Amino acid sequence: MILPVQFDKNEWFVLIGLVIFYTAVFVLPKRFPLSISILVMLFTLTIARISDHLLSTSDINFYNVMDSGKYELFDVFVYILYGPFGYFLAYFYDKWKLKGMMIQLYVIGGTVVSSCIEFLAVHYHVFDYKGWALPYSFCYYLVMLALTLLFFRFLQNTHPSMKGTNQHSL
């Protein structure tokens, strides 16, 4: 695995983000079984990894992740950074018992937050756009956040300890 040539602001951005987001995950009161938490976080980081692989391959290459177009150690950390966001999305959806139009507003709000974080990531050179633009990400996040909530609802409906709890219309 390739190490960074120079340890600079993009590596610091990722490390600080990991500490902040994973600390928040562990500090928040537990709402779901550990298996649900892990599956939601794995779903989120897997979707991010697949998407980045499809959008930043050598044939298409809309952007690079971290310092080069090659897969490096900090690329792994970037994908691990996505996990807590999916967890927070499911956590507050469940905590606030969102229904109806509030779910759409929640997805839009989460999309705005995701886009702001990506804006910062671009500023710190975690992503280097080559034909990509933040408005594309906004549209992408609308779809992905909705899919993440659908996946969470699927887990709620199938996990024995969550059946019948906090069921909302989606």
Side-chain angles (χ1 to χ4, degrees):
M1 182 111 9
I2 300 172
L3 295 174
V5 175
Q6 181 178 355
F7 198 91
D8 53 15
K9 63 183 176 180
N10 58 356
E11 285 86 10
W12 281 112
F13 179 86
V14 171
L15 289 177
I16 291 168
L18 284 169
V19 168
I20 290 170
F21 290 138
Y22 277 93
T23 298
V25 166
F26 290 112
V27 168
L28 283 172
K30 304 302 172 235
R31 291 197 65 78
F32 327 118
L34 181 60
S35 60
I36 298 288
S37 300
I38 290 170
L39 285 171
V40 168
M41 292 198 305
L42 281 175
F43 178 82
T44 308
L45 70 91
T46 301
I47 292 297
R49 175 65 184 114
I50 290 169
S51 300
D52 280 348
H53 180 73
L54 292 173
L55 295 171
S56 65
T57 63
S58 59
D59 294 339
I60 300 172
N61 201 14
F62 285 122
Y63 55 86
N64 287 337
V65 178
M66 297 306 285
D67 296 322
S68 72
K70 297 181 176 140
Y71 195 65
E72 60 182 70
L73 176 62
F74 270 79
D75 289 14
V76 174
F77 296 152
V78 169
Y79 300 121
I80 293 171
L81 193 56
Y82 283 96
F85 195 78
Y87 177 81
F88 298 142
L89 186 75
Y91 185 94
F92 291 107
Y93 165 79
D94 187 67
K95 180 177 175 68
W96 295 333
K97 298 175 178 48
L98 300 173
K99 295 181 182 178
M101 185 62 118
M102 290 307 295
I103 297 170
Q104 288 90 2
L105 293 173
Y106 183 64
V107 169
I108 291 168
T111 297
V112 169
V113 170
S114 299
S115 297
C116 290
I117 292 170
E118 183 170 325
F119 175 82
L120 287 173
V122 169
H123 175 75
Y124 285 98
H125 301 288
V126 174
F127 299 110
D128 179 26
Y129 289 165
K130 298 177 175 191
W132 191 258
L134 198 55
Y136 304 154
S137 295
F138 187 88
C139 296
Y140 171 83
Y141 291 134
L142 280 173
V143 174
M144 289 302 116
L145 271 58
L147 286 176
T148 302
L149 287 180
L150 284 171
F151 179 69
F152 175 68
R153 283 296 311 279
F154 169 77
L155 294 174
Q156 274 186 313
N157 291 327
T158 57
H159 196 280
S161 70
M162 292 190 72
K163 281 188 178 182
T165 62
N166 298 329
Q167 299 300 310
H168 329 292
S169 61
L170 188 58

